[in-house]
Amino acid sequence: MRRFPSCLLLIGTLGACGLEMAKPVDGGDSGRDAERDTDADGGAGGGTDTDTDTDTDTSAADEICGNGHDDDGDGHADCADDACMEEPGCVCIEAIATGHAGAIASGDTTGSTDDRARGADAGCGSTASSAPDHAIAWTAPDAGCYAADTFGSSFDTVLRVVEGCDGEELACDDDSRDSSGAYTSQSQLLVGGSSGRAYTFVVDGFGGDDLGAYQLSIHPAAARADAGRANDNAPATGAGGVTGSLDGSTPAVDHQCTSGEEANSQTFRWVAPFTGAFTFATTGSDFDTVISVLDRAGCTELACDDDVRVGSDSTSLVELSVTEGETYLVAISGYSGATGTYVLTIQ
């Protein structure tokens, strides 16, 4: 059973959960909201039922819960879809959010439980302690890229995107730069690239004492890497790799793992030959490199590394579990404008 079954409203104040959902600012699915509120006074309490909605669409039964997509085409996927709300994979969800041009959710983690405990394999944030967290389900309205952030929150946040409730962590950010370029204790990451894609955002605290009021916002954003200019000549898996120069290469990729001002980048389009863990490395390059692996649209950064070993090796290496047949972008940059001859291997 969902932890807060009485709190799952799309809009309004959720006092019992400490959550307040923002009304859609982009003309969200008001019909779906109305179906949840059948009282004449517009509230969740008593009153004469004057709902005249005679919608008999049963397409929600066709939603496949847990596959990450909006199968029935109603604009809501997986845990954000009525058909999946009580599924075991959705029990962690405190709220369902709509909208994509402003604040989509707000709340307070004080008194909440720590459902997304972090271990040594956490993508980012502290591993020494873990804080209470809130999980919010959201569905991408189109194939664009979106920036999700916690700017305006009252504590040091960590923002995660996970598959469902207990699935793989897709992306994570601890401290991010604001619009002025200054680093903050708030978080921001990019998602998107597929219409109807399901996302579970987890608003977490850096340490056990980092909790309180938060705000989760989403805005359209540019991709981190230009998928349209990616090189299709990625190295064959397990082969000797490819070499080249960043001179005359594509515009810089926005890497999350470095604060340097990167110059040009070289981006490769790579298709996973089988499901499993792969290593992407720039070992043998003659300059200070940065490497990222992103989704096919260049929106979500799945892995990033600056220096393999600080002080002794300025080349880069990441390990990532991939899915057979899925397309990924592999981007190489020079730290703070460094350039030279790169080597890229995938094993």
Side-chain angles (χ1 to χ4, degrees):
M1 175 177 283
R2 185 180 302 275
R3 188 180 339 136
F4 299 113
S6 63
C7 300
L8 289 172
L9 300 177
L10 284 173
I11 59 177
T13 301
L14 310 187
C17 298
L19 287 164
E20 182 176 328
M21 301 305 301
K23 292 185 179 180
V25 295
D26 62 337
D29 186 356
S30 59
R32 186 168 184 268
D33 297 345
E35 288 177 6
R36 287 174 176 259
D37 178 12
T38 59
D39 297 334
D41 59 0
T48 303
D49 187 356
T50 59
D51 185 2
T52 58
D53 187 353
T54 57
D55 183 7
T56 58
D57 181 11
T58 59
S59 62
D62 297 325
E63 179 72 14
I64 301 174
C65 304
N67 70 347
H69 299 285
D70 177 19
D71 303 288
D72 57 16
D74 66 350
H76 308 282
D78 289 4
C79 294
D81 194 294
D82 288 333
C84 303
M85 286 173 53
E86 300 302 327
E87 290 295 313
C90 297
V91 295
C92 72
I93 303 300
E94 273 95 2
I96 295 171
T98 60
H100 58 276
I104 63 167
S106 61
D108 196 312
T109 59
T110 304
S112 298
T113 56
D114 176 19
D115 295 312
R116 193 71 185 180
R118 299 190 300 278
D121 60 345
C124 65
S126 170
T127 58
S129 60
S130 197
D133 50 59
H134 276 178
I136 300 102
W138 179 78
T139 305
D142 53 43
C145 294
Y146 294 90
D149 67 68
T150 60
F151 296 144
S153 300
S154 66
F155 60 98
D156 187 350
T157 62
V158 173
L159 183 61
R160 308 177 187 280
V161 176
V162 299
E163 292 277 13
C165 284
D166 300 319
E168 179 185 358
E169 182 178 284
L170 303 178
C172 176
D173 183 64
D174 181 8
D175 296 334
S176 186
R177 286 172 281 193
D178 60 19
S179 58
S180 70
Y183 267 94
T184 72
S185 62
Q186 307 306 311
S187 314
Q188 179 175 263
L189 47 77
L190 266 66
V191 298
S194 178
S195 178
R197 180 72 165 85
Y199 292 95
T200 299
F201 292 107
V202 178
V203 179
D204 206 344
F206 179 79
D209 295 329
D210 291 312
L211 68 167
Y214 70 84
Q215 177 173 289
L216 177 65
S217 300
I218 290 184
H219 301 274
R224 291 191 180 277
D226 187 349
R229 299 180 64 177
N231 189 329
D232 289 319
N233 297 317
T237 304
V242 296
T243 63
S245 172
L246 296 186
D247 294 335
S249 53
T250 58
V253 170
D254 181 14
H255 300 277
Q256 287 185 285
C257 61
T258 173
S259 59
E261 295 297 326
E262 278 62 68
N264 289 347
S265 302
Q266 185 60 259
T267 304
F268 293 90
R269 184 178 292 104
W270 177 76
V271 179
F274 56 85
T275 297
F278 285 79
T279 298
F280 305 80
T282 63
T283 305
S285 301
D286 62 9
F287 64 101
D288 191 348
T289 62
V290 182
I291 191 170
S292 290
V293 181
L294 307 98
D295 67 349
R296 67 168 63 208
C299 295
T300 303
E301 186 178 66
L302 306 173
C304 180
D305 180 61
D306 177 11
D307 297 331
V308 175
R309 290 180 294 277
V310 177
S312 61
D313 191 343
S314 60
T315 61
S316 313
L317 181 150
V318 296
E319 295 180 348
L320 181 70
S321 295
V322 300
T323 302
E324 180 179 357
E326 186 62 54
T327 299
Y328 300 86
L329 299 184
V330 184
I332 303 170
S333 300
Y335 178 80
S336 289
T339 188
T341 301
Y342 65 79
V343 178
L344 171 64
T345 58
I346 302 176
Q347 298 180 318

